[in-house]
Amino acid sequence: MHANGAGDLTRRALLGAGGAAALGTVLGGREPRQGAAGTGTAPVARVRAEGAHQAGIARPAEAQSHLLLAVFDLDDTPAPVLAELGRSIVDLVDGGHPALAGIAAGDLTVTVGVGPRLVAAVRPDSPGADDLPEFAREEIDDIHRGGDVVIQVCASDPLLLPLALTHLMRTSPELRERWRQRGIRGPVKAVRRGHTAPRNVLGFIDGIAIPTSKSEMADSVWLDDGAAAGGTIMVVRRMVIDIPAFQSLSVAAQEAAVGRRRSSGAPLSGGGIADDVDLQAKTADGRYRLPADAHARRAHPRPIGAPLMLRRSYSMEDPMGLLFISMQTELRTFVRTLERMSESDALLDFTTTTASGTFLLLPGYDRSRPLGSTLFGAS
């Protein structure tokens, strides 16, 4: 996948928006909500950019159906670039910005993070200063590994994504794009306490066991001390999946690889979708109900004593697979989890990771407290 030219809203980009919308319709079984008057679709609530935490992490509670994520290099001083990004984001989300071409901002969110190189240069002991190690099943070139800045754009209206990102790249020309990826979320199923989880391109319900309450978010997601307080550590992994090979399995074999029922999301160990996986449950003849190499077992946090990660996977059409995104208080939570999965996870046998990076999603900001100012100072 080649990086697009900086700031160009190309015909391909707009066609990509339509392509993502079409895939979303196929997976979701419904038209995306546009959030604009006169379209005949229901408007969506605006999500404020300003606050103690950036939007696009825990706000809105149900993640929007469309995502565009882009990774950049930055050779300039971060403070003024980040401050300008923050101002531009607030202007876009407030609505009526000419860059959105008359389309209502709706539930548009833009979330910004910085890579380990930038963090380590100013605060080497801060969360976010460490990079990801290399793992098995990776085919990643230099362009698609790491990066200095990540911008995550989410909305229910897919047309907003390239418009918003193009405007941000135009107002911050110091950013040099490495790569970008679109993703969509399929139809959602209720899990618990207002938490919903979508189906992914494999047909399974994804993101069932995640932190949802304020206390869980405080324990598992939000950094609570130092210059990064209010931020979180993001991991991004683009995984190409051999869909034909997975689909060639019987439904029972697919469920054994995942560890959950495809129809309901319930764990093979028993109970309903909201019940925790029982790692000790056995059949009458002594076999584990949850296979030893099932993804739900290998990715479970209990065996490694790790907290839950806020995981969001977006299905991809080009390339076919999943864009995995997780947020956590410590990078080692993800690293230890993937190391355990790499030992024996039936689902990983169908995946190849082609892009990867970790970023410190910056603390919240407002017009008087610039984006990134707690780490890099005011511009």
Side-chain angles (χ1 to χ4, degrees):
M1 185 174 191
H2 301 289
N4 296 343
D8 291 334
L9 179 56
T10 62
R11 179 173 181 270
R12 180 180 178 185
L14 286 173
L15 286 175
L23 180 60
T25 301
V26 170
L27 291 179
R30 64 189 181 193
E31 292 293 332
R33 298 174 296 174
Q34 301 299 319
T39 62
T41 56
V44 292
R46 184 171 72 90
V47 183
R48 293 183 67 251
E50 299 167 292
H53 310 290
Q54 286 194 74
I57 304 171
R59 297 183 291 121
E62 182 179 311
Q64 305 95 315
S65 51
H66 296 275
L67 168 141
L68 173 58
L69 182 140
V71 175
F72 303 87
D73 284 327
L74 176 63
D75 296 328
D76 293 64
T77 304
V81 178
L82 294 172
E84 180 57 38
L85 275 175
R87 288 189 291 268
S88 298
I89 292 166
V90 172
D91 290 342
L92 283 173
V93 172
D94 278 351
H97 196 285
L100 300 185
I103 301 173
D107 57 0
L108 172 68
T109 61
V110 182
T111 314
V112 179
V114 292
R117 187 182 72 85
L118 296 186
V119 177
V122 294
R123 297 180 184 271
D125 296 328
S126 172
D130 296 325
D131 214 336
L132 279 170
E134 295 185 14
F135 296 98
R137 300 179 179 86
E138 292 184 340
E139 293 181 6
I140 306 174
D141 59 28
D142 291 341
I143 293 295
H144 294 88
R145 188 184 296 279
D148 290 330
V149 175
V150 65
I151 299 179
Q152 172 192 280
V153 187
C154 297
S156 293
D157 185 341
L159 290 176
L160 291 170
L161 307 185
L163 293 171
L165 184 59
T166 296
H167 174 68
L168 296 175
M169 293 172 67
R170 185 169 58 247
T171 58
S172 300
E174 302 89 348
L175 296 174
R176 294 181 290 107
E177 185 173 339
R178 280 174 166 251
W179 62 276
R180 65 172 63 189
Q181 183 62 55
R182 281 186 166 275
I184 64 99
R185 287 164 67 88
V188 298
K189 183 177 178 63
V191 179
R192 70 178 75 81
R193 294 200 303 264
H195 167 49
T196 61
R199 288 196 183 273
N200 61 29
V201 73
L202 296 174
F204 283 79
I205 300 169
D206 204 341
I208 294 170
I210 64 171
T212 55
S213 68
K214 287 185 177 181
S215 62
E216 288 172 340
M217 291 293 291
D219 290 341
S220 300
V221 179
W222 301 126
L223 298 169
D224 62 1
D225 189 32
T232 187
I233 303 299
M234 168 195 260
V235 170
V236 178
R237 304 272 288 177
R238 186 178 69 187
M239 298 181 295
V240 177
I241 300 178
D242 189 344
I243 300 296
F246 188 80
Q247 290 180 338
S248 70
L249 301 178
S250 66
V251 173
Q254 292 179 17
E255 292 177 338
V258 174
R260 290 182 178 272
R261 301 295 179 194
R262 193 174 72 177
S263 60
S264 65
L268 297 185
S269 55
I273 186 173
D275 293 316
D276 190 13
V277 170
D278 185 348
L279 301 178
Q280 305 304 318
K282 294 183 178 181
T283 62
D285 59 359
R287 292 179 295 108
Y288 281 111
R289 292 185 179 275
L290 194 66
D293 61 352
H295 176 70
R297 178 184 290 276
R298 303 306 300 180
H300 200 283
R302 189 180 303 129
I304 60 173
L308 287 171
M309 296 182 285
L310 179 58
R311 297 176 292 108
R312 287 179 176 169
S313 293
Y314 290 80
S315 294
M316 305 183 304
E317 179 185 22
D318 180 21
M320 201 73 164
L322 290 174
L323 183 68
F324 171 88
I325 297 173
S326 68
M327 279 78 81
Q328 51 269 307
T329 56
E330 295 182 305
L331 184 62
R332 66 177 180 176
T333 298
F334 172 82
V335 171
R336 292 169 63 194
T337 300
L338 189 52
E339 286 175 344
R340 187 167 188 274
M341 290 167 56
S342 297
E343 294 171 359
S344 174
D345 188 319
L347 193 56
L348 291 188
D349 291 341
F350 300 91
T351 70
T352 302
T353 299
T354 61
S356 178
T358 180
F359 303 89
L360 170 61
L361 294 184
L362 295 163
Y365 63 99
D366 54 40
R367 291 188 184 275
S368 63
R369 180 170 49 104
L371 176 66
S373 58
T374 57
L375 266 82
F376 301 102
S379 61

